[in-house]
Amino acid sequence: MPAASAPLPALPATFRPTRTRVVLLSVGLAMFAVLAVVGLVLERLHPGERATFILTGLLFLGVLALLARPHLTADNDGVTVVNLTRTRRLAWAEILRVNLRYGDPWVFLDLADGTSLAAMGIQPGIDREQAINDARALRALAEEHGSGTGGEPKQQP
């Protein structure tokens, strides 16, 4: 199925690795809860040690929440790519190609300035089909709104 024949999603559209996000945030909350309960239940701990258990749980939760942050938001003017610590706004004309090849950890955007930008908001780790569908939708949007080129995201068994 060519990307151009796929129906375009309504804008603004947000792409994020939903299952990965649920797993990361669930594990982070569980780890925080366990460490907080252990820190509060152990009778022989001093207040500073109890606080250390709780702060360690918060640190784990914070790191996992940071890993769950990536997403892409497409609107009429372009795409906002939010990765772990950086956010970049791109006009549609800047995006030449949307790539998701077999084995790639996430989508890569080939840009008009000759560089490539990782877009971690579409990643096939846990939900490959969602990532492929999201990559196709983003490719169709890039072709519709900008100077994007190129066919299907590659999917190999």
Side-chain angles (χ1 to χ4, degrees):
M1 161 191 276
S5 67
L8 292 175
L11 295 178
T14 299
F15 304 101
R16 67 179 68 224
T18 306
R19 286 185 185 174
T20 301
R21 186 175 165 86
V22 167
V23 168
L24 289 170
L25 294 175
S26 297
V27 169
L29 288 170
M31 288 176 65
F32 170 72
V34 167
L35 287 170
V37 167
V38 167
L40 295 173
V41 169
L42 291 177
E43 298 173 3
R44 296 172 39 180
L45 295 179
H46 298 291
E49 293 169 325
R50 290 178 196 275
T52 300
F53 268 89
I54 294 169
L55 290 175
T56 301
L58 283 173
L59 179 65
F60 279 124
L61 177 58
V63 168
L64 292 177
L66 185 66
L67 291 172
R69 180 177 184 248
H71 64 275
L72 278 83
T73 302
D75 58 33
N76 289 323
D77 298 323
V79 176
T80 302
V81 179
V82 178
N83 286 331
L84 295 179
T85 59
R86 292 192 152 189
T87 299
R88 183 160 176 197
R89 178 73 182 163
L90 300 167
W92 284 115
E94 293 179 79
I95 302 171
L96 298 180
R97 185 169 174 84
V98 177
N99 295 307
L100 179 59
R101 295 176 291 263
Y102 181 76
D104 281 349
W106 39 72
V107 161
F108 289 92
L109 305 176
D110 290 340
L111 304 180
D113 65 2
T115 63
S116 183
L117 175 66
M120 298 173 70
I122 300 175
Q123 48 184 270
I126 293 178
D127 193 354
R128 176 178 288 181
E129 286 304 312
Q130 178 191 353
I132 290 170
N133 291 336
D134 288 350
R136 285 182 179 146
L138 184 61
R139 179 173 289 156
L141 286 169
E143 289 173 357
E144 176 74 20
H145 293 283
S147 58
T149 61
E152 290 286 295
K154 302 286 185 207
Q155 177 185 5
Q156 298 176 357

